[in-house]
PDB file of all heavy atoms in Angstrom:
ATOM      1  N   ILE A 175      87.661  22.721  54.779  1.00 97.00           N
ATOM      2  CA  ILE A 175      87.546  21.761  55.896  1.00 97.00           C
ATOM      3  C   ILE A 175      88.898  21.624  56.614  1.00 97.00           C
ATOM      4  O   ILE A 175      88.993  21.592  57.820  1.00 97.00           O
ATOM      5  CB  ILE A 175      87.005  20.438  55.389  1.00 97.00           C
ATOM      6  CG1 ILE A 175      85.547  20.576  54.933  1.00 97.00           C
ATOM      7  CG2 ILE A 175      87.120  19.319  56.467  1.00 97.00           C
ATOM      8  CD1 ILE A 175      84.527  20.990  55.991  1.00 97.00           C
ATOM      9  N   ILE A 176      89.991  21.590  55.836  1.00 96.00           N
ATOM     10  CA  ILE A 176      91.296  21.522  56.406  1.00 96.00           C
ATOM     11  C   ILE A 176      91.536  22.734  57.324  1.00 96.00           C
ATOM     12  O   ILE A 176      92.011  22.630  58.451  1.00 96.00           O
ATOM     13  CB  ILE A 176      92.436  21.451  55.318  1.00 96.00           C
ATOM     14  CG1 ILE A 176      92.351  20.102  54.577  1.00 96.00           C
ATOM     15  CG2 ILE A 176      93.801  21.616  55.924  1.00 96.00           C
ATOM     16  CD1 ILE A 176      93.320  19.940  53.423  1.00 96.00           C
ATOM     17  N   ASP A 177      91.115  23.890  56.825  1.00 96.00           N
ATOM     18  CA  ASP A 177      91.263  25.112  57.602  1.00 96.00           C
ATOM     19  C   ASP A 177      90.512  25.021  58.912  1.00 96.00           C
ATOM     20  O   ASP A 177      90.989  25.492  59.970  1.00 96.00           O
ATOM     21  CB  ASP A 177      90.838  26.346  56.825  1.00 96.00           C
ATOM     22  CG  ASP A 177      91.814  26.678  55.636  1.00 96.00           C
ATOM     23  OD1 ASP A 177      92.949  26.122  55.660  1.00 96.00           O
ATOM     24  OD2 ASP A 177      91.426  27.394  54.734  1.00 96.00           O
ATOM     25  N   GLU A 178      89.318  24.457  58.852  1.00 96.00           N
ATOM     26  CA  GLU A 178      88.461  24.328  60.045  1.00 96.00           C
ATOM     27  C   GLU A 178      89.158  23.318  61.000  1.00 96.00           C
ATOM     28  O   GLU A 178      89.104  23.494  62.213  1.00 96.00           O
ATOM     29  CB  GLU A 178      87.065  23.938  59.650  1.00 96.00           C
ATOM     30  CG  GLU A 178      86.022  24.059  60.744  1.00 96.00           C
ATOM     31  CD  GLU A 178      85.835  25.502  61.252  1.00 96.00           C
ATOM     32  OE1 GLU A 178      86.033  26.482  60.536  1.00 96.00           O
ATOM     33  OE2 GLU A 178      85.455  25.635  62.449  1.00 96.00           O
ATOM     34  N   TYR A 179      89.693  22.250  60.458  1.00 97.00           N
ATOM     35  CA  TYR A 179      90.340  21.270  61.277  1.00 97.00           C
ATOM     36  C   TYR A 179      91.539  21.781  62.015  1.00 97.00           C
ATOM     37  O   TYR A 179      91.959  21.208  63.028  1.00 97.00           O
ATOM     38  CB  TYR A 179      90.762  20.031  60.418  1.00 97.00           C
ATOM     39  CG  TYR A 179      89.782  18.888  60.458  1.00 97.00           C
ATOM     40  CD1 TYR A 179      89.321  18.271  59.342  1.00 97.00           C
ATOM     41  CD2 TYR A 179      89.372  18.334  61.707  1.00 97.00           C
ATOM     42  CE1 TYR A 179      88.448  17.225  59.376  1.00 97.00           C
ATOM     43  CE2 TYR A 179      88.507  17.270  61.758  1.00 97.00           C
ATOM     44  CZ  TYR A 179      88.040  16.686  60.579  1.00 97.00           C
ATOM     45  OH  TYR A 179      87.172  15.622  60.664  1.00 97.00           O
ATOM     46  N   LYS A 180      92.116  22.904  61.559  1.00 95.00           N
ATOM     47  CA  LYS A 180      93.246  23.479  62.252  1.00 95.00           C
ATOM     48  C   LYS A 180      92.812  23.978  63.658  1.00 95.00           C
ATOM     49  O   LYS A 180      93.672  24.166  64.567  1.00 95.00           O
ATOM     50  CB  LYS A 180      93.841  24.660  61.457  1.00 95.00           C
ATOM     51  CG  LYS A 180      94.607  24.128  60.232  1.00 95.00           C
ATOM     52  CD  LYS A 180      95.108  25.238  59.314  1.00 95.00           C
ATOM     53  CE  LYS A 180      95.800  24.599  58.088  1.00 95.00           C
ATOM     54  NZ  LYS A 180      96.083  25.617  57.060  1.00 95.00           N
ATOM     55  N   LYS A 181      91.503  24.149  63.871  1.00 95.00           N
ATOM     56  CA  LYS A 181      90.955  24.534  65.160  1.00 95.00           C
ATOM     57  C   LYS A 181      90.727  23.285  66.069  1.00 95.00           C
ATOM     58  O   LYS A 181      90.289  23.406  67.193  1.00 95.00           O
ATOM     59  CB  LYS A 181      89.652  25.284  65.012  1.00 95.00           C
ATOM     60  CG  LYS A 181      89.776  26.569  64.247  1.00 95.00           C
ATOM     61  CD  LYS A 181      88.388  27.208  64.022  1.00 95.00           C
ATOM     62  CE  LYS A 181      88.462  28.278  62.931  1.00 95.00           C
ATOM     63  NZ  LYS A 181      87.087  28.639  62.493  1.00 95.00           N
ATOM     64  N   GLY A 182      90.945  22.125  65.503  1.00 97.00           N
ATOM     65  CA  GLY A 182      90.736  20.875  66.256  1.00 97.00           C
ATOM     66  C   GLY A 182      89.750  19.969  65.578  1.00 97.00           C
ATOM     67  O   GLY A 182      89.064  20.324  64.651  1.00 97.00           O
ATOM     68  N   GLY A 183      89.708  18.723  66.096  1.00 97.00           N
ATOM     69  CA  GLY A 183      88.810  17.711  65.513  1.00 97.00           C
ATOM     70  C   GLY A 183      89.464  16.362  65.520  1.00 97.00           C
ATOM     71  O   GLY A 183      90.595  16.200  66.019  1.00 97.00           O
ATOM     72  N   THR A 184      88.785  15.409  64.932  1.00 97.00           N
ATOM     73  CA  THR A 184      89.251  14.003  64.891  1.00 97.00           C
ATOM     74  C   THR A 184      89.046  13.434  63.501  1.00 97.00           C
ATOM     75  O   THR A 184      88.192  12.611  63.269  1.00 97.00           O
ATOM     76  CB  THR A 184      88.499  13.150  65.929  1.00 97.00           C
ATOM     77  OG1 THR A 184      87.082  13.244  65.706  1.00 97.00           O
ATOM     78  CG2 THR A 184      88.793  13.562  67.371  1.00 97.00           C
ATOM     79  N   PRO A 185      89.855  13.922  62.533  1.00 97.00           N
ATOM     80  CA  PRO A 185      89.623  13.496  61.154  1.00 97.00           C
ATOM     81  C   PRO A 185      89.716  11.957  60.922  1.00 97.00           C
ATOM     82  O   PRO A 185      89.117  11.443  60.012  1.00 97.00           O
ATOM     83  CB  PRO A 185      90.708  14.247  60.348  1.00 97.00           C
ATOM     84  CG  PRO A 185      91.690  14.687  61.368  1.00 97.00           C
ATOM     85  CD  PRO A 185      90.974  14.831  62.640  1.00 97.00           C
ATOM     86  N   TRP A 186      90.492  11.292  61.831  1.00 96.00           N
ATOM     87  CA  TRP A 186      90.604   9.854  61.673  1.00 96.00           C
ATOM     88  C   TRP A 186      89.272   9.135  61.897  1.00 96.00           C
ATOM     89  O   TRP A 186      89.167   7.896  61.599  1.00 96.00           O
ATOM     90  CB  TRP A 186      91.704   9.304  62.562  1.00 96.00           C
ATOM     91  CG  TRP A 186      91.515   9.583  64.012  1.00 96.00           C
ATOM     92  CD1 TRP A 186      90.939   8.737  64.914  1.00 96.00           C
ATOM     93  CD2 TRP A 186      91.953  10.753  64.729  1.00 96.00           C
ATOM     94  NE1 TRP A 186      90.934   9.374  66.155  1.00 96.00           N
ATOM     95  CE2 TRP A 186      91.564  10.581  66.081  1.00 96.00           C
ATOM     96  CE3 TRP A 186      92.623  11.910  64.377  1.00 96.00           C
ATOM     97  CZ2 TRP A 186      91.782  11.577  67.065  1.00 96.00           C
ATOM     98  CZ3 TRP A 186      92.911  12.895  65.353  1.00 96.00           C
ATOM     99  CH2 TRP A 186      92.505  12.687  66.674  1.00 96.00           C
ATOM    100  N   LEU A 187      88.272   9.823  62.416  1.00 97.00           N
ATOM    101  CA  LEU A 187      86.954   9.218  62.639  1.00 97.00           C
ATOM    102  C   LEU A 187      86.010   9.447  61.484  1.00 97.00           C
ATOM    103  O   LEU A 187      84.942   8.880  61.422  1.00 97.00           O
ATOM    104  CB  LEU A 187      86.316   9.741  63.920  1.00 97.00           C
ATOM    105  CG  LEU A 187      87.071   9.467  65.212  1.00 97.00           C
ATOM    106  CD1 LEU A 187      86.364  10.029  66.450  1.00 97.00           C
ATOM    107  CD2 LEU A 187      87.321   7.989  65.415  1.00 97.00           C
ATOM    108  N   ASP A 188      86.442  10.292  60.516  1.00 97.00           N
ATOM    109  CA  ASP A 188      85.555  10.520  59.339  1.00 97.00           C
ATOM    110  C   ASP A 188      85.324   9.223  58.595  1.00 97.00           C
ATOM    111  O   ASP A 188      86.247   8.394  58.426  1.00 97.00           O
ATOM    112  CB  ASP A 188      86.233  11.525  58.370  1.00 97.00           C
ATOM    113  CG  ASP A 188      86.248  12.926  59.004  1.00 97.00           C
ATOM    114  OD1 ASP A 188      85.487  13.203  59.941  1.00 97.00           O
ATOM    115  OD2 ASP A 188      87.075  13.782  58.535  1.00 97.00           O
ATOM    116  N   HIS A 189      84.105   9.019  58.167  1.00 96.00           N
ATOM    117  CA  HIS A 189      83.655   7.810  57.478  1.00 96.00           C
ATOM    118  C   HIS A 189      83.800   6.541  58.361  1.00 96.00           C
ATOM    119  O   HIS A 189      83.784   5.415  57.868  1.00 96.00           O
ATOM    120  CB  HIS A 189      84.372   7.636  56.135  1.00 96.00           C
ATOM    121  CG  HIS A 189      83.869   8.611  55.123  1.00 96.00           C
ATOM    122  ND1 HIS A 189      82.741   8.426  54.403  1.00 96.00           N
ATOM    123  CD2 HIS A 189      84.307   9.882  54.833  1.00 96.00           C
ATOM    124  CE1 HIS A 189      82.498   9.461  53.643  1.00 96.00           C
ATOM    125  NE2 HIS A 189      83.435  10.393  53.884  1.00 96.00           N
ATOM    126  N   ARG A 190      83.907   6.759  59.662  1.00 97.00           N
ATOM    127  CA  ARG A 190      83.809   5.650  60.595  1.00 97.00           C
ATOM    128  C   ARG A 190      82.659   5.893  61.593  1.00 97.00           C
ATOM    129  O   ARG A 190      82.133   4.953  62.113  1.00 97.00           O
ATOM    130  CB  ARG A 190      85.147   5.546  61.412  1.00 97.00           C
ATOM    131  CG  ARG A 190      86.289   5.046  60.563  1.00 97.00           C
ATOM    132  CD  ARG A 190      87.333   4.355  61.451  1.00 97.00           C
ATOM    133  NE  ARG A 190      88.340   3.701  60.596  1.00 97.00           N
ATOM    134  CZ  ARG A 190      89.502   4.237  60.260  1.00 97.00           C
ATOM    135  NH1 ARG A 190      89.815   5.447  60.695  1.00 97.00           N
ATOM    136  NH2 ARG A 190      90.351   3.591  59.509  1.00 97.00           N
ATOM    137  N   HIS A 191      82.359   7.155  61.787  1.00 98.00           N
ATOM    138  CA  HIS A 191      81.279   7.556  62.711  1.00 98.00           C
ATOM    139  C   HIS A 191      80.400   8.590  62.020  1.00 98.00           C
ATOM    140  O   HIS A 191      80.917   9.512  61.426  1.00 98.00           O
ATOM    141  CB  HIS A 191      81.819   8.120  64.026  1.00 98.00           C
ATOM    142  CG  HIS A 191      82.552   7.081  64.827  1.00 98.00           C
ATOM    143  ND1 HIS A 191      81.939   6.281  65.727  1.00 98.00           N
ATOM    144  CD2 HIS A 191      83.870   6.721  64.805  1.00 98.00           C
ATOM    145  CE1 HIS A 191      82.842   5.462  66.308  1.00 98.00           C
ATOM    146  NE2 HIS A 191      84.013   5.702  65.739  1.00 98.00           N
ATOM    147  N   THR A 192      79.085   8.407  62.095  1.00 98.00           N
ATOM    148  CA  THR A 192      78.147   9.285  61.438  1.00 98.00           C
ATOM    149  C   THR A 192      78.058  10.632  62.188  1.00 98.00           C
ATOM    150  O   THR A 192      77.680  10.682  63.339  1.00 98.00           O
ATOM    151  CB  THR A 192      76.749   8.654  61.428  1.00 98.00           C
ATOM    152  OG1 THR A 192      76.798   7.418  60.675  1.00 98.00           O
ATOM    153  CG2 THR A 192      75.684   9.594  60.800  1.00 98.00           C
ATOM    154  N   VAL A 193      78.416  11.703  61.520  1.00 98.00           N
ATOM    155  CA  VAL A 193      78.273  13.051  62.045  1.00 98.00           C
ATOM    156  C   VAL A 193      76.826  13.480  61.753  1.00 98.00           C
ATOM    157  O   VAL A 193      76.394  13.423  60.626  1.00 98.00           O
ATOM    158  CB  VAL A 193      79.254  14.042  61.402  1.00 98.00           C
ATOM    159  CG1 VAL A 193      79.031  15.463  61.911  1.00 98.00           C
ATOM    160  CG2 VAL A 193      80.708  13.587  61.594  1.00 98.00           C
ATOM    161  N   PHE A 194      76.102  13.961  62.770  1.00 98.00           N
ATOM    162  CA  PHE A 194      74.738  14.378  62.536  1.00 98.00           C
ATOM    163  C   PHE A 194      74.391  15.732  63.170  1.00 98.00           C
ATOM    164  O   PHE A 194      73.259  16.183  63.078  1.00 98.00           O
ATOM    165  CB  PHE A 194      73.731  13.289  63.000  1.00 98.00           C
ATOM    166  CG  PHE A 194      73.697  13.044  64.465  1.00 98.00           C
ATOM    167  CD1 PHE A 194      72.731  13.611  65.266  1.00 98.00           C
ATOM    168  CD2 PHE A 194      74.655  12.173  65.064  1.00 98.00           C
ATOM    169  CE1 PHE A 194      72.710  13.376  66.652  1.00 98.00           C
ATOM    170  CE2 PHE A 194      74.595  11.927  66.438  1.00 98.00           C
ATOM    171  CZ  PHE A 194      73.647  12.547  67.236  1.00 98.00           C
ATOM    172  N   GLY A 195      75.379  16.391  63.764  1.00 98.00           N
ATOM    173  CA  GLY A 195      75.156  17.710  64.312  1.00 98.00           C
ATOM    174  C   GLY A 195      76.466  18.459  64.543  1.00 98.00           C
ATOM    175  O   GLY A 195      77.537  17.892  64.434  1.00 98.00           O
ATOM    176  N   GLN A 196      76.317  19.757  64.879  1.00 98.00           N
ATOM    177  CA  GLN A 196      77.508  20.605  65.173  1.00 98.00           C
ATOM    178  C   GLN A 196      77.151  21.610  66.236  1.00 98.00           C
ATOM    179  O   GLN A 196      76.089  22.219  66.193  1.00 98.00           O
ATOM    180  CB  GLN A 196      77.972  21.330  63.896  1.00 98.00           C
ATOM    181  CG  GLN A 196      79.194  22.215  64.035  1.00 98.00           C
ATOM    182  CD  GLN A 196      80.459  21.449  64.331  1.00 98.00           C
ATOM    183  OE1 GLN A 196      80.645  20.333  63.895  1.00 98.00           O
ATOM    184  NE2 GLN A 196      81.363  22.076  65.124  1.00 98.00           N
ATOM    185  N   ILE A 197      78.047  21.786  67.156  1.00 98.00           N
ATOM    186  CA  ILE A 197      77.824  22.722  68.257  1.00 98.00           C
ATOM    187  C   ILE A 197      77.669  24.161  67.741  1.00 98.00           C
ATOM    188  O   ILE A 197      78.382  24.588  66.816  1.00 98.00           O
ATOM    189  CB  ILE A 197      78.981  22.640  69.322  1.00 98.00           C
ATOM    190  CG1 ILE A 197      78.477  23.144  70.696  1.00 98.00           C
ATOM    191  CG2 ILE A 197      80.198  23.354  68.846  1.00 98.00           C
ATOM    192  CD1 ILE A 197      79.388  22.709  71.846  1.00 98.00           C
ATOM    193  N   VAL A 198      76.690  24.841  68.267  1.00 98.00           N
ATOM    194  CA  VAL A 198      76.412  26.243  67.870  1.00 98.00           C
ATOM    195  C   VAL A 198      76.832  27.148  68.998  1.00 98.00           C
ATOM    196  O   VAL A 198      77.374  28.226  68.798  1.00 98.00           O
ATOM    197  CB  VAL A 198      74.882  26.433  67.601  1.00 98.00           C
ATOM    198  CG1 VAL A 198      74.604  27.873  67.183  1.00 98.00           C
ATOM    199  CG2 VAL A 198      74.406  25.500  66.511  1.00 98.00           C
ATOM    200  N   SER A 199      76.579  26.700  70.266  1.00 98.00           N
ATOM    201  CA  SER A 199      77.021  27.459  71.397  1.00 98.00           C
ATOM    202  C   SER A 199      77.282  26.501  72.558  1.00 98.00           C
ATOM    203  O   SER A 199      76.689  25.383  72.561  1.00 98.00           O
ATOM    204  CB  SER A 199      75.984  28.518  71.798  1.00 98.00           C
ATOM    205  OG  SER A 199      74.790  27.901  72.203  1.00 98.00           O
ATOM    206  N   GLY A 200      78.154  26.905  73.498  1.00 98.00           N
ATOM    207  CA  GLY A 200      78.405  26.070  74.635  1.00 98.00           C
ATOM    208  C   GLY A 200      79.757  25.319  74.561  1.00 98.00           C
ATOM    209  O   GLY A 200      79.960  24.341  75.221  1.00 98.00           O
ATOM    210  N   LEU A 201      80.660  25.840  73.693  1.00 98.00           N
ATOM    211  CA  LEU A 201      81.989  25.222  73.662  1.00 98.00           C
ATOM    212  C   LEU A 201      82.694  25.298  75.034  1.00 98.00           C
ATOM    213  O   LEU A 201      83.438  24.381  75.362  1.00 98.00           O
ATOM    214  CB  LEU A 201      82.896  25.961  72.646  1.00 98.00           C
ATOM    215  CG  LEU A 201      83.004  25.387  71.224  1.00 98.00           C
ATOM    216  CD1 LEU A 201      83.854  26.292  70.351  1.00 98.00           C
ATOM    217  CD2 LEU A 201      83.494  23.946  71.204  1.00 98.00           C
ATOM    218  N   ASP A 202      82.369  26.308  75.809  1.00 98.00           N
ATOM    219  CA  ASP A 202      82.968  26.425  77.134  1.00 98.00           C
ATOM    220  C   ASP A 202      82.502  25.285  78.044  1.00 98.00           C
ATOM    221  O   ASP A 202      83.289  24.705  78.773  1.00 98.00           O
ATOM    222  CB  ASP A 202      82.633  27.780  77.745  1.00 98.00           C
ATOM    223  CG  ASP A 202      81.118  28.086  77.770  1.00 98.00           C
ATOM    224  OD1 ASP A 202      80.395  27.564  76.880  1.00 98.00           O
ATOM    225  OD2 ASP A 202      80.687  28.864  78.619  1.00 98.00           O
ATOM    226  N   THR A 203      81.221  24.884  77.874  1.00 98.00           N
ATOM    227  CA  THR A 203      80.694  23.738  78.613  1.00 98.00           C
ATOM    228  C   THR A 203      81.419  22.480  78.175  1.00 98.00           C
ATOM    229  O   THR A 203      81.812  21.636  78.974  1.00 98.00           O
ATOM    230  CB  THR A 203      79.151  23.585  78.410  1.00 98.00           C
ATOM    231  OG1 THR A 203      78.546  24.817  78.883  1.00 98.00           O
ATOM    232  CG2 THR A 203      78.613  22.426  79.131  1.00 98.00           C
ATOM    233  N   LEU A 204      81.542  22.306  76.856  1.00 98.00           N
ATOM    234  CA  LEU A 204      82.207  21.122  76.308  1.00 98.00           C
ATOM    235  C   LEU A 204      83.647  21.011  76.871  1.00 98.00           C
ATOM    236  O   LEU A 204      84.061  19.899  77.315  1.00 98.00           O
ATOM    237  CB  LEU A 204      82.301  21.215  74.755  1.00 98.00           C
ATOM    238  CG  LEU A 204      83.034  20.129  74.016  1.00 98.00           C
ATOM    239  CD1 LEU A 204      82.400  18.742  74.287  1.00 98.00           C
ATOM    240  CD2 LEU A 204      83.053  20.392  72.543  1.00 98.00           C
ATOM    241  N   ASP A 205      84.367  22.132  76.891  1.00 98.00           N
ATOM    242  CA  ASP A 205      85.716  22.082  77.415  1.00 98.00           C
ATOM    243  C   ASP A 205      85.790  21.855  78.948  1.00 98.00           C
ATOM    244  O   ASP A 205      86.709  21.218  79.440  1.00 98.00           O
ATOM    245  CB  ASP A 205      86.489  23.377  77.058  1.00 98.00           C
ATOM    246  CG  ASP A 205      86.810  23.410  75.525  1.00 98.00           C
ATOM    247  OD1 ASP A 205      86.878  22.330  74.935  1.00 98.00           O
ATOM    248  OD2 ASP A 205      86.973  24.539  75.017  1.00 98.00           O
ATOM    249  N   LYS A 206      84.778  22.408  79.628  1.00 98.00           N
ATOM    250  CA  LYS A 206      84.689  22.193  81.081  1.00 98.00           C
ATOM    251  C   LYS A 206      84.549  20.676  81.363  1.00 98.00           C
ATOM    252  O   LYS A 206      85.176  20.105  82.253  1.00 98.00           O
ATOM    253  CB  LYS A 206      83.506  22.936  81.636  1.00 98.00           C
ATOM    254  CG  LYS A 206      83.733  23.528  83.039  1.00 98.00           C
ATOM    255  CD  LYS A 206      82.464  24.127  83.633  1.00 98.00           C
ATOM    256  CE  LYS A 206      81.929  25.348  82.874  1.00 98.00           C
ATOM    257  NZ  LYS A 206      80.630  25.819  83.416  1.00 98.00           N
ATOM    258  N   ILE A 207      83.678  20.020  80.564  1.00 98.00           N
ATOM    259  CA  ILE A 207      83.500  18.606  80.728  1.00 98.00           C
ATOM    260  C   ILE A 207      84.757  17.823  80.337  1.00 98.00           C
ATOM    261  O   ILE A 207      85.204  16.891  81.013  1.00 98.00           O
ATOM    262  CB  ILE A 207      82.246  18.101  79.923  1.00 98.00           C
ATOM    263  CG1 ILE A 207      80.951  18.697  80.477  1.00 98.00           C
ATOM    264  CG2 ILE A 207      82.157  16.576  79.962  1.00 98.00           C
ATOM    265  CD1 ILE A 207      79.743  18.511  79.639  1.00 98.00           C
ATOM    266  N   GLY A 208      85.411  18.282  79.270  1.00 98.00           N
ATOM    267  CA  GLY A 208      86.661  17.700  78.804  1.00 98.00           C
ATOM    268  C   GLY A 208      87.748  17.740  79.877  1.00 98.00           C
ATOM    269  O   GLY A 208      88.645  16.905  79.937  1.00 98.00           O
ATOM    270  N   ASP A 209      87.650  18.693  80.775  1.00 98.00           N
ATOM    271  CA  ASP A 209      88.649  18.905  81.815  1.00 98.00           C
ATOM    272  C   ASP A 209      88.387  18.143  83.107  1.00 98.00           C
ATOM    273  O   ASP A 209      89.205  18.210  84.054  1.00 98.00           O
ATOM    274  CB  ASP A 209      88.748  20.405  82.210  1.00 98.00           C
ATOM    275  CG  ASP A 209      89.627  21.157  81.216  1.00 98.00           C
ATOM    276  OD1 ASP A 209      90.522  20.544  80.601  1.00 98.00           O
ATOM    277  OD2 ASP A 209      89.433  22.374  81.066  1.00 98.00           O
ATOM    278  N   VAL A 210      87.267  17.414  83.222  1.00 98.00           N
ATOM    279  CA  VAL A 210      86.960  16.765  84.479  1.00 98.00           C
ATOM    280  C   VAL A 210      87.972  15.675  84.790  1.00 98.00           C
ATOM    281  O   VAL A 210      88.552  15.086  83.913  1.00 98.00           O
ATOM    282  CB  VAL A 210      85.530  16.188  84.553  1.00 98.00           C
ATOM    283  CG1 VAL A 210      84.480  17.286  84.326  1.00 98.00           C
ATOM    284  CG2 VAL A 210      85.334  15.034  83.586  1.00 98.00           C
ATOM    285  N   GLU A 211      88.100  15.440  86.077  1.00 98.00           N
ATOM    286  CA  GLU A 211      89.021  14.365  86.509  1.00 98.00           C
ATOM    287  C   GLU A 211      88.368  13.001  86.155  1.00 98.00           C
ATOM    288  O   GLU A 211      87.187  12.776  86.436  1.00 98.00           O
ATOM    289  CB  GLU A 211      89.215  14.483  88.012  1.00 98.00           C
ATOM    290  CG  GLU A 211      90.447  13.695  88.544  1.00 98.00           C
ATOM    291  CD  GLU A 211      90.616  13.776  90.048  1.00 98.00           C
ATOM    292  OE1 GLU A 211      90.157  14.794  90.626  1.00 98.00           O
ATOM    293  OE2 GLU A 211      91.169  12.865  90.605  1.00 98.00           O
ATOM    294  N   THR A 212      89.166  12.079  85.588  1.00 98.00           N
ATOM    295  CA  THR A 212      88.606  10.802  85.217  1.00 98.00           C
ATOM    296  C   THR A 212      89.366   9.657  85.931  1.00 98.00           C
ATOM    297  O   THR A 212      90.509   9.789  86.317  1.00 98.00           O
ATOM    298  CB  THR A 212      88.708  10.571  83.701  1.00 98.00           C
ATOM    299  OG1 THR A 212      90.016  10.801  83.285  1.00 98.00           O
ATOM    300  CG2 THR A 212      87.756  11.483  82.937  1.00 98.00           C
ATOM    301  N   LEU A 213      88.658   8.533  85.992  1.00 97.00           N
ATOM    302  CA  LEU A 213      89.204   7.287  86.554  1.00 97.00           C
ATOM    303  C   LEU A 213      89.975   6.595  85.456  1.00 97.00           C
ATOM    304  O   LEU A 213      89.915   6.961  84.279  1.00 97.00           O
ATOM    305  CB  LEU A 213      88.064   6.420  87.096  1.00 97.00           C
ATOM    306  CG  LEU A 213      87.228   7.144  88.177  1.00 97.00           C
ATOM    307  CD1 LEU A 213      85.917   6.400  88.415  1.00 97.00           C
ATOM    308  CD2 LEU A 213      88.026   7.279  89.459  1.00 97.00           C
ATOM    309  N   PRO A 214      90.705   5.519  85.753  1.00 91.00           N
ATOM    310  CA  PRO A 214      91.503   4.827  84.753  1.00 91.00           C
ATOM    311  C   PRO A 214      90.728   4.364  83.486  1.00 91.00           C
ATOM    312  O   PRO A 214      91.302   4.298  82.402  1.00 91.00           O
ATOM    313  CB  PRO A 214      92.061   3.631  85.452  1.00 91.00           C
ATOM    314  CG  PRO A 214      92.173   4.080  86.934  1.00 91.00           C
ATOM    315  CD  PRO A 214      90.973   4.942  87.119  1.00 91.00           C
ATOM    316  N   ASN A 215      89.409   4.127  83.601  1.00 94.00           N
ATOM    317  CA  ASN A 215      88.668   3.723  82.398  1.00 94.00           C
ATOM    318  C   ASN A 215      88.020   4.894  81.696  1.00 94.00           C
ATOM    319  O   ASN A 215      87.048   4.683  80.940  1.00 94.00           O
ATOM    320  CB  ASN A 215      87.616   2.681  82.786  1.00 94.00           C
ATOM    321  CG  ASN A 215      86.621   3.258  83.820  1.00 94.00           C
ATOM    322  OD1 ASN A 215      86.766   4.395  84.286  1.00 94.00           O
ATOM    323  ND2 ASN A 215      85.623   2.494  84.169  1.00 94.00           N
ATOM    324  N   ASP A 216      88.528   6.102  81.889  1.00 98.00           N
ATOM    325  CA  ASP A 216      88.008   7.346  81.251  1.00 98.00           C
ATOM    326  C   ASP A 216      86.650   7.751  81.757  1.00 98.00           C
ATOM    327  O   ASP A 216      85.976   8.598  81.168  1.00 98.00           O
ATOM    328  CB  ASP A 216      87.953   7.237  79.699  1.00 98.00           C
ATOM    329  CG  ASP A 216      89.335   6.876  79.116  1.00 98.00           C
ATOM    330  OD1 ASP A 216      90.323   7.484  79.601  1.00 98.00           O
ATOM    331  OD2 ASP A 216      89.388   6.036  78.243  1.00 98.00           O
ATOM    332  N   LYS A 217      86.151   7.126  82.823  1.00 97.00           N
ATOM    333  CA  LYS A 217      84.860   7.505  83.400  1.00 97.00           C
ATOM    334  C   LYS A 217      85.095   8.677  84.341  1.00 97.00           C
ATOM    335  O   LYS A 217      86.000   8.601  85.214  1.00 97.00           O
ATOM    336  CB  LYS A 217      84.255   6.328  84.124  1.00 97.00           C
ATOM    337  CG  LYS A 217      82.776   6.429  84.432  1.00 97.00           C
ATOM    338  CD  LYS A 217      82.267   5.212  85.112  1.00 97.00           C
ATOM    339  CE  LYS A 217      80.830   5.343  85.644  1.00 97.00           C
ATOM    340  NZ  LYS A 217      79.829   5.310  84.611  1.00 97.00           N
TER     341      LYS A 217
END
């Protein structure tokens, strides 16, 4: 798991938020959304 986390993640949320799925394809879409311009409230 440590090795996988080297590719990224948010370990500080473990045991605070229920993980119930994992991306299989579409990481490019995820990153495209991550790159959108946001307003001051992260919207």
Side-chain angles (χ1 to χ4, degrees):
I175 293 297
I176 292 176
D177 290 344
E178 194 61 28
Y179 262 129
K180 288 175 182 169
K181 299 174 194 166
T184 54
W186 58 92
L187 299 181
D188 291 341
H189 288 276
R190 290 205 171 96
H191 293 272
T192 300
V193 177
F194 65 98
Q196 180 67 31
I197 203 162
V198 180
S199 64
L201 264 178
D202 53 334
T203 299
L204 177 61
D205 288 335
K206 215 187 295 175
I207 295 171
D209 277 334
V210 300
E211 195 182 335
T212 53
L213 301 166
N215 60 356
D216 304 316
K217 195 177 172 76

